Amino acid sequence: MKQTITSIQKAKGNRKLSMITAYDALFATLFDEQVDFILVGDSLNMSFAGNEDTLSATLEQMIYHTKAVCKGAPNTFVICDMPFGTYTNENDALKNCVKVFQQTNASAVKIEGGSSKAHIVKALTSNSIAVCGHIGLMPQNFRSEGGYKIKGKDEQNTKALIQDAIDIQNAGAFAIVLEGVKEEAAKQITAAVSVPVIGIGAGIKVDGQVLVWSDMLGLFEAFKPKFVRQYINGASLVKDAVSTYVKDVENLNFPNESEKY
Ligand code: KIV
């Protein structure tokens, strides 16, 4: 059954939530109804579009991929990641998120940022746009912070993250993605809010997990973050299959009698 914001929020403390990313209708169909929600992450700018970071993803790209994912997974709650630079002020954020809601079937958007983005979350949620927050390691800060930096390493930063979570919750976020945070800090952040906290590289003491589909299926070979569990070695399965196909073509093993008209 397709989740709603209410059913997602009721899960907190009762069962763990699972989220996966998807970028196209083909894989979204495979994930439909298996997970609680699908995120059309701007990570597609790396593993799908081949760029070094997420920053050059555009609104048009995110809308295109979100449309495809919604078509492939009609029974799953789909979240569209708002790309870098599309929510720097309330007016732009509202204009761009309304475009996402009008042009796709997404149930919510995701924006990166804590207390400093609470006014943006408020502007969206008070205008009927459901918002999933994203705090901790925020990939859109890759260039400004000079890399991916793990958060929650000391008490001061943990306190700041707790405040971030409280402020975006109070602004109306229905859930929060928490990325790249030490487990003890993640535990305290999760306990401090009543909305579900979905971790990625944040340990097990959260309300659910999210993984990037191409990481967990072992298809993205450029690098493997420590927190990723590869459930299959997709890259070698695909390479072996293609190499077998090429040999079959060369050896006249393909097509056979039943594979022709
Ligand atoms: O873009 C993305 O895939 C994400 C996940 C890492 C949570 O934001």
Side-chain angles (χ1 to χ4, degrees):
M1 199 183 64
K2 188 166 178 168
Q3 300 292 344
T4 61
I5 284 168
T6 314
S7 65
I8 286 167
Q9 289 187 323
K10 275 191 185 150
K12 186 164 176 122
N14 293 314
R15 69 178 182 89
K16 298 292 179 189
L17 292 159
S18 39
M19 182 192 282
I20 193 168
T21 66
Y23 310 144
D24 59 46
L26 182 65
F27 275 89
T29 304
L30 302 178
F31 306 151
D32 195 21
E33 287 189 286
Q34 289 218 65
V35 289
D36 292 297
F37 22 37
I38 294 178
L39 170 68
V40 187
D42 62 354
S43 53
L44 65 80
N45 201 46
M46 298 168 74
S47 59
F48 186 87
N51 295 303
E52 198 205 349
D53 57 39
T54 61
L55 276 74
S56 55
T58 64
L59 185 63
E60 286 64 37
Q61 259 179 304
M62 296 311 298
I63 288 176
Y64 172 85
H65 287 277
T66 303
K67 272 186 190 168
V69 168
C70 291
K71 280 186 201 154
N75 305 309
T76 304
F77 189 103
V78 172
I79 303 173
C80 172
D81 215 1
M82 294 306 291
F84 179 69
T86 59
Y87 52 94
T88 50
N89 59 59
E90 285 115 314
N91 285 347
D92 282 358
L94 196 52
K95 191 180 72 191
N96 291 326
C97 292
V98 164
K99 222 182 233 182
V100 168
F101 262 40
Q102 284 179 333
Q103 295 185 21
T104 78
N105 224 4
S107 298
V109 297
K110 176 169 83 59
I111 69 170
E112 294 183 10
S115 308
S116 66
K117 285 279 183 289
H119 64 296
I120 306 281
V121 176
K122 182 84 193 152
L124 296 172
T125 55
S126 60
N127 282 288
S128 309
I129 309 280
V131 177
C132 176
H134 183 154
I135 61 171
L137 185 162
M138 293 179 277
Q140 291 177 10
N141 289 350
F142 175 71
R143 292 188 206 166
S144 61
E145 290 188 0
Y148 297 117
K149 310 278 186 210
I150 301 305
K151 308 291 177 182
K153 286 185 169 172
D154 57 41
E155 206 184 319
Q156 195 188 355
N157 185 236
T158 302
K159 276 192 181 150
L161 288 169
I162 291 172
Q163 198 57 53
D164 282 337
I166 291 172
D167 287 348
I168 55 174
Q169 165 186 262
N170 291 346
F174 72 94
I176 299 170
V177 166
L178 183 66
E179 179 165 0
V181 171
K182 298 284 279 183
E183 188 172 67
E184 178 52 33
K187 179 182 162 195
Q188 291 180 37
I189 295 159
T190 303
V193 289
S194 58
V195 295
V197 173
I198 311 300
I200 174 162
I204 206 163
K205 293 171 181 167
V206 288
D207 301 310
Q209 299 291 333
V210 50
L211 277 178
V212 172
W213 74 279
S214 44
D215 287 342
M216 62 97 71
L217 298 181
L219 288 162
F220 187 61
E221 290 187 296
F223 63 88
K224 180 191 159 305
K226 181 176 184 223
F227 63 82
V228 168
R229 184 177 295 176
Q230 286 186 342
Y231 284 84
I232 55 170
N233 191 337
S236 62
L237 288 175
V238 170
K239 284 180 189 170
D240 287 352
V242 174
S243 142
T244 306
Y245 162 67
V246 170
K247 282 190 198 116
D248 283 349
V249 171
E250 282 169 358
N251 300 331
L252 300 182
N253 276 335
F254 175 77
N256 63 21
E257 283 305 306
S258 64
E259 289 162 338
K260 67 183 184 188
Y261 293 108

